[in-house]
Amino acid sequence: MSKLPVTIAVTGLNNSDNPGPGIPVIRSLRESRHLDVRIIGLSYENLEPGVYMDDLVDMVYAIPYPSLGHETLLARLTYIHEQESLDLIIPNFDAELFSFIKISDTLAGMGIRTLLPTQEQFDARLKGKLVEFGDRFAINVPKSLTVFNADELTDALGEFSYPVVVKGKFYEAYVAQTAEQAHGYFYKLAAKWGTPVILQQFIKGQEYNITALGDGKGRLMGAVAMRKTYITPNGKGWAGVSIDDENLLDMARKVVTQTRWGGGMELELMQEDSTGDVYLIEINPRFPAWVYLATACGQNHPDRLVRLALGQHVDPQEDYEVGKMFVRYSWDMICDLSRFQEIATTGEVAIRPMELA
């Protein structure tokens, strides 16, 4: 079977102790049985490891931080498109999605496809709106409150018993055992990600995650459930195993079909030890950093997203291999300083020239 040539830009090339989804998305695309991919890495930092991974990325361009606004991003993407003739972009960071959603119609007019949630869908699953989301779709969620300043935090803490989870607007979460700890985490998260900061009821139990893909029309195109077997002090899953739990998969199906979600998403779930009840604690509006596990289990979600975005017929997939395990590790790459100098000074670097790609 001949493969379809396609040029895909991918963000999220960081792959350190808090890895982004970009590298596992690229690994999945490289293993596609349907696509012959040329990968254009989009980098926010000059030392993102993906900039130096010769076997995964063909070309890298620096792009502006989301805080600089969608017009600045569009101008940069227009230049990159002129050089590379992009067919599709897969953004992989929560903080950048607002801008990509904002310019998605303009990108489509340029011939660049995306498969993203609408702004309404994106906003509905915000951490600060999780209780409203649970009420709307009849899904168990922990009690949550949003706070914008220290006074509101003091009042809100009176509504919870300890421990309490303190969550950043986009990323990071800490478990506070005292009010003093909660205030410390509030200032740390507010300084890094801005406000609001979210307080959430602590659920003692086993953590599960689901990577899922929606077609934007109400169909769940694939979902794989995973149980975390090792969690870092920062709360990141460093090892996990694929499981078959129909109750968990039903929740993914419910969320995707009722919201008519378009694109990848991750559901973070907790099963309470004392009651066995499952709570939805967070919805991440993009593929997770462990999405390559789904590919290894037989569901290549990035490949399916691309084919959906290109208008190809793709059937939903339910089966996957259970008992597959992932374990993350550190690996020192040795690179020439010239690579860093080039991306730092010109904002772009050719890893594999077009004729060799």
Side-chain angles (χ1 to χ4, degrees):
M1 180 180 65
S2 60
K3 294 184 176 182
L4 175 68
V6 58
T7 300
I8 306 171
V10 180
T11 71
L13 303 184
N14 63 312
N15 205 40
S16 53
D17 60 334
N18 184 13
I23 298 304
V25 165
I26 293 170
R27 289 181 70 190
S28 299
L29 293 173
R30 289 286 185 200
E31 295 183 12
S32 170
R33 296 184 294 108
H34 307 274
L35 307 171
D36 178 14
V37 298
R38 174 171 167 81
I39 299 296
I40 309 302
L42 302 179
S43 174
Y44 290 104
E45 297 282 352
N46 297 329
L47 286 174
E48 290 181 0
V51 176
Y52 306 91
M53 293 182 174
D54 295 0
D55 58 333
L56 293 180
V57 180
D58 297 298
M59 183 80 189
V60 176
Y61 292 88
I63 59 173
Y65 288 112
S67 59
L68 296 178
H70 67 275
E71 292 181 352
T72 304
L73 174 63
L74 179 60
R76 181 59 172 163
L77 293 177
T78 299
Y79 166 78
I80 296 171
H81 183 50
E82 290 171 352
Q83 311 306 311
E84 302 293 342
S85 297
L86 301 177
D87 296 301
L88 188 123
I89 297 178
I90 305 178
N92 289 297
F93 285 136
D94 300 32
E96 68 186 357
L97 279 178
F98 173 82
S99 293
F100 275 100
I101 292 170
K102 190 82 172 177
I103 65 175
S104 59
D105 288 343
T106 304
L107 293 176
M110 297 163 56
I112 304 173
R113 308 290 185 89
T114 57
L115 182 57
L116 299 170
T118 65
Q119 189 64 54
E120 180 183 5
Q121 292 165 343
F122 179 81
D123 291 342
R125 40 64 45 200
L126 288 170
K127 297 177 185 180
K129 297 182 178 181
L130 192 61
V131 172
E132 181 182 337
F133 185 94
D135 291 341
R136 180 180 176 185
F137 297 111
I139 294 173
N140 283 341
V141 299
K143 178 180 179 179
S144 301
L145 292 175
T146 59
V147 292
F148 289 86
N149 56 56
D151 290 337
E152 290 183 1
L153 175 63
T154 299
D155 293 339
L157 286 172
E159 303 290 323
F160 294 87
S161 58
Y162 291 96
V164 62
V165 182
V166 187
K167 290 189 166 188
K169 181 179 180 180
F170 294 115
Y171 305 105
E172 297 188 48
Y174 300 94
V175 179
Q177 304 290 338
T178 65
E180 290 75 15
Q181 281 189 347
H183 278 268
Y185 292 143
F186 170 84
Y187 288 118
K188 179 178 181 178
L189 293 168
K192 189 169 184 179
W193 302 113
T195 57
V197 170
I198 296 89
L199 297 183
Q200 191 173 86
Q201 171 193 352
F202 177 78
I203 306 294
K204 179 176 173 57
Q206 175 65 54
E207 184 173 351
Y208 299 93
N209 295 71
I210 299 174
T211 177
L213 175 65
D215 69 349
K217 301 175 183 178
R219 290 194 305 170
L220 177 66
M221 303 304 298
V224 172
M226 177 269 288
R227 174 172 55 85
K228 289 184 177 179
T229 56
Y230 185 84
I231 301 174
T232 69
N234 290 331
K236 298 301 176 182
W238 213 249
V241 59
S242 61
I243 62 170
D244 182 15
D245 188 316
E246 196 56 36
N247 290 330
L248 300 181
L249 296 172
D250 276 344
M251 184 172 289
R253 190 173 296 107
K254 189 174 186 179
V255 169
V256 169
T257 56
Q258 293 192 14
T259 62
R260 301 177 67 84
W261 188 268
M265 69 156 45
E266 179 190 30
L267 306 182
E268 298 187 16
L269 310 162
M270 290 292 294
Q271 185 171 36
E272 192 171 26
D273 285 342
S274 59
T275 64
D277 293 336
V278 175
Y279 289 83
L280 176 63
I281 62 172
E282 197 165 310
I283 301 176
N284 296 315
R286 37 71 190 167
F287 289 130
W290 59 272
V291 70
Y292 185 71
L293 176 65
T295 300
C297 291
Q299 288 194 17
N300 191 330
H301 291 180
D303 164 75
R304 298 169 71 80
L305 180 148
V306 171
R307 290 189 289 135
L308 283 168
L310 294 176
Q312 295 186 0
H313 175 77
V314 182
D315 290 320
Q317 184 177 2
E318 295 185 359
D319 60 306
Y320 61 90
E321 189 173 346
V322 175
K324 282 282 189 181
M325 181 175 172
F326 82 89
V327 180
R328 291 202 174 112
Y329 62 96
S330 298
W331 182 268
D332 294 333
M333 290 188 298
I334 306 303
C335 315
D336 289 334
L337 181 60
S338 59
R339 176 76 59 85
F340 171 81
Q341 292 172 331
E342 188 172 356
I343 188 71
T345 56
T346 70
E348 57 190 74
V349 56
I351 296 175
R352 288 193 285 183
M354 180 74 76
E355 63 271 15
L356 298 179

